[in-house]
Amino acid sequence: MHFVSSNVGPDRAAPADGTLDFTFDRLLLPVTVTRQSVTLRQTGVDTLPSPVVIYDPVLRTVSLSSPDPLRATWLVPGQEYSVTLGSAGLRAFDGAPLANPTVVSFGVTEPVGSVRPSRVVFCVEVLPLLQARCGTCHGSAPTPAGLVLATSAGVLGALGRVASGANTGPMGGGASAPGVVFGVDMALIDPGGPGTSWLMYKLLLGARESGTLSDDERSRLGELVLGDGMPPGAPGLTAEELERVRRWIAEGAQVETFPEESRYTLRDGHRMYCSPSGGQHARANAVGALALASDPAASEVG
């Protein structure tokens, strides 16, 4: 496994409110992505607050960000920092070590007012995608492995449940903590953990768009994630669609299940609801914030 690139370096400073991204050529073993294997240091300072460490299996990127969700600025302008990669056991998903532990040094500039992207809305951005791309096989029970992805109730049932293909360890019902053996007792969807979600890897196996997985990496992954990629025999998800699912899982895999008669207003200016049975409907609305709304007279278009 090799370190490929970073958004910081000796000639590329980081804004004080920025995120530090480090990209690898292979999928990582999630349990080895820690603050000890990706270590941030500030020159002349012995102790730093521990940054948030996030692994993105779609982009094969490890990101470091502010340890305080209420404070975007976390680095000190004018100071020098370094990140050491791989000194404490960072490994690929099949156990291969980082070929050459690397130190990336960089300076810090003034904050730029970084704006975090809005949260992924399940009913608008994820459920319709799952219905369209996975609904043929996983539309309604009975389905392969008992997995229903075409309704919000079905997706709720997948949260934290061990994937049938991963059920080779002692748990046999609920997912275990990420282990040193990739895939054993892995949850279908692990809220907050796209790197420990079986569904994410099944979708990656099915993706054929350039830049997703090399043929060699897909073959290695297929030895540990059993069965066909998703969706089988059809074009896989695009890189943008994969990243959308990854973000939704990373943000906690929140699933809205409003009663059929409920209405709520979305950020993009559409009034929608998402029923447990999987329906979603929308109408134009000028309000741009996410908020519960009561509008019995609202007309929906599906």
Side-chain angles (χ1 to χ4, degrees):
M1 180 177 70
H2 298 85
F3 164 65
V4 175
S5 63
S6 174
N7 66 342
V8 296
D11 300 319
R12 190 176 184 184
D17 55 351
T19 296
L20 315 177
D21 299 326
F22 304 91
T23 302
F24 300 84
D25 65 344
R26 300 202 52 204
L27 295 166
L28 303 180
L29 182 62
V31 72
T32 69
V33 182
T34 66
R35 289 186 289 269
Q36 290 71 44
S37 62
V38 183
T39 308
L40 176 68
R41 293 184 174 86
Q42 180 182 344
T43 302
V45 176
D46 293 331
T47 304
L48 291 177
S50 297
V52 174
V53 181
I54 297 176
Y55 168 49
D56 180 343
V58 176
L59 301 178
R60 300 180 298 281
T61 296
V62 175
S63 300
L64 307 184
S65 59
S66 173
D68 184 350
L70 300 179
R71 184 182 179 190
T73 298
W74 64 293
L75 302 170
V76 181
Q79 297 298 303
E80 294 294 321
Y81 289 79
S82 66
V83 171
T84 302
L85 305 170
S87 62
L90 187 66
R91 293 183 177 275
F93 74 98
D94 60 357
L98 187 65
N100 297 298
T102 302
V103 177
V104 179
S105 300
F106 60 96
V108 175
T109 59
E110 294 296 326
V112 295
S114 300
V115 178
R116 295 182 180 180
S118 58
R119 295 181 67 87
V120 175
V121 180
F122 173 76
C123 285
V124 182
E125 300 170 85
V126 177
L127 182 60
L129 175 63
L130 296 177
Q131 289 173 329
R133 307 304 294 277
C134 306
T136 299
C137 297
H138 296 279
S140 59
T143 62
L147 176 60
V148 175
L149 294 174
T151 70
S152 53
V155 174
L156 274 172
L159 303 185
R161 178 162 66 90
V162 171
S164 60
N167 192 8
T168 56
M171 297 302 292
S176 64
V180 294
V181 179
F182 180 86
V184 173
D185 285 342
M186 185 180 285
L188 283 162
I189 301 172
D190 179 19
T196 48
S197 293
W198 189 264
L199 176 64
M200 200 75 252
Y201 294 105
K202 295 288 282 186
L203 295 174
L204 276 168
L205 279 173
R208 296 289 173 173
E209 186 173 295
S210 176
T212 50
L213 290 181
S214 67
D215 289 341
D216 285 346
E217 192 76 341
R218 184 175 286 104
S219 177
R220 293 188 187 102
L221 182 61
E223 294 175 359
L224 298 175
V225 177
L226 306 179
D228 295 330
M230 291 174 58
L237 272 63
T238 66
E240 183 279 326
E241 290 169 337
L242 287 168
E243 185 63 10
R244 194 191 316 167
V245 175
R246 183 208 66 81
R247 281 186 54 211
W248 169 68
I249 296 175
E251 292 169 359
Q254 296 185 20
V255 177
E256 303 95 357
T257 54
F258 296 100
E260 295 284 353
E261 68 275 8
S262 295
R263 313 286 197 273
Y264 65 97
T265 303
L266 299 169
R267 299 183 190 91
D268 63 359
H270 291 83
R271 190 181 299 277
M272 297 192 69
Y273 68 79
C274 178
S275 71
S277 60
Q280 64 270 319
H281 304 268
R283 65 169 292 226
N285 189 290
V287 180
L290 178 63
L292 288 174
S294 59
D295 186 4
S299 61
E300 298 87 27
V301 293

